[in-house]
Amino acid sequence: MTYCVAMRLADGLVFASDSRTNAGVDHIATFRKLHVFQQANERILVLQSAGNLATTQSVLSLLRQRCHDDKLNMMNVPSLYDAATLVGATVREVIERDGGHPHRSGISFGCNILLGGQIRNEGTRLFHIYPEGNFIEATEDTPYFQIGESKYGKPIIDRVLQFDTSLEQAMQCALLSMDSTLRSNLSVGLPLDVMLYPVDSFSADAQYRVCESHPHYQTLRKIWGEGLAQLFNQLPPLAL
């Protein structure tokens, strides 16, 4: 399984993804789930993937391979909306090619993809693309999307995140959301791939890999855990 979260805020975008794709007694696999398509000073598109690994890898391979074609591709689409349409069509293409009749085999070939970024002459945008190829867009009222094992990390985001939250605070929120999920589900695992994108920067420089020993992550999870325990102990006596 996996857990990815992406946030569209007034100041830019925040992305965080775990890297576990399989967790069994004798087999744990790790693959990167955050992928960047970049053209200097003109566009930056970030994809996060969850679902069938073969499907997501085929979709990403086709998108990268076709960047050299004359037809519409990730490097020449005029808007993020057109990019979301292109990714959705590629998802449908791969599932139709490889999936056959999934109800007969009991295997799901579906995947979910988060696509965010900015193309020059428009603002930042964020989309959630479904296995059927259709998609929805983040708004100021709903400034984030999750895919994968989302339920454990959702409460902290719902309580904290607003459209005007700073990128730094939003990343703290994303990391705490990840930590809550890691504590409750073995199918989500370190390391984490995270990225901050300031609006109009057209830069992917603020990408980081967060491992178990990362000092800020360790400090953050320690302070958060101790703070929750302290607040719990300060709750008023039960009066029914």
Side-chain angles (χ1 to χ4, degrees):
M1 199 54 179
T2 189
Y3 176 41
C4 301
V5 59
M7 305 169 176
R8 176 184 172 266
L9 309 163
D11 293 338
L13 298 157
V14 168
F15 305 92
S17 303
D18 86 312
S19 57
R20 181 164 293 173
T21 59
N22 186 77
V25 175
D26 56 358
H27 180 57
I28 294 177
T30 298
F31 289 90
R32 184 178 176 87
K33 302 168 191 172
L34 191 152
H35 311 272
V36 178
F37 293 76
Q38 184 177 16
Q39 193 173 70
N41 299 316
E42 202 276 331
R43 70 183 57 212
I44 185 162
L45 307 176
V46 181
L47 276 75
Q48 296 167 283
S49 57
N52 185 285
L53 183 60
T55 300
T56 58
Q57 287 189 338
S58 290
V59 169
L60 286 161
S61 293
L62 286 175
L63 291 173
R64 293 196 183 281
Q65 175 184 320
R66 292 170 179 174
C67 284
H68 306 289
D69 294 348
D70 293 331
K71 297 180 181 179
L72 280 181
N73 60 68
M74 297 292 277
M75 292 294 100
N76 65 18
V77 289
S79 71
L80 257 295
Y81 180 91
D82 294 302
T85 300
L86 177 64
V87 173
T90 308
V91 169
R92 287 197 305 271
E93 175 187 348
V94 171
I95 292 177
E96 290 172 3
R97 183 195 70 191
D98 298 343
H101 299 282
H103 62 278
R104 294 179 183 173
S105 63
I107 298 173
S108 172
F109 288 86
C111 70
N112 285 265
I113 292 178
L114 301 182
L115 168 67
Q118 185 176 18
I119 294 176
R120 187 164 295 282
N121 298 323
E122 72 172 1
T124 57
R125 301 178 77 173
L126 174 64
F127 296 89
H128 179 177
I129 302 165
Y130 296 100
E132 295 77 13
N134 58 333
F135 51 83
I136 58 174
E137 183 172 4
T139 66
E140 292 189 16
D141 293 328
T142 308
Y144 78 95
F145 288 134
Q146 302 167 285
I147 53 177
E149 285 292 349
S150 60
K151 56 184 176 292
Y152 304 103
K154 183 175 173 58
I156 173 61
I157 301 177
D158 284 340
R159 288 179 179 272
V160 171
L161 194 72
Q162 303 290 333
F163 182 69
D164 59 357
T165 301
S166 71
L167 292 185
E168 291 76 11
Q169 287 181 316
M171 180 55 75
Q172 302 272 54
C173 181
L175 289 173
L176 290 173
S177 177
M178 281 286 175
D179 181 58
S180 297
T181 306
L182 289 167
R183 286 178 174 271
S184 300
N185 194 307
L186 289 175
S187 69
V188 177
L190 294 165
L192 309 177
D193 291 302
V194 302
M195 177 177 168
L196 293 92
Y197 173 75
V199 65
D200 293 331
S201 67
F202 296 99
S203 170
D205 290 345
Q207 289 190 66
Y208 310 95
R209 173 150 277 206
V210 178
C211 301
E212 181 73 31
S213 59
H214 192 283
H216 179 75
Y217 179 64
Q218 286 296 322
T219 300
L220 191 68
R221 69 193 310 188
K222 180 176 183 293
I223 292 175
W224 181 253
E226 292 176 350
L228 283 176
Q230 182 178 358
L231 285 172
F232 182 81
N233 291 330
Q234 293 175 357
L235 292 175
L238 183 65
L240 298 178

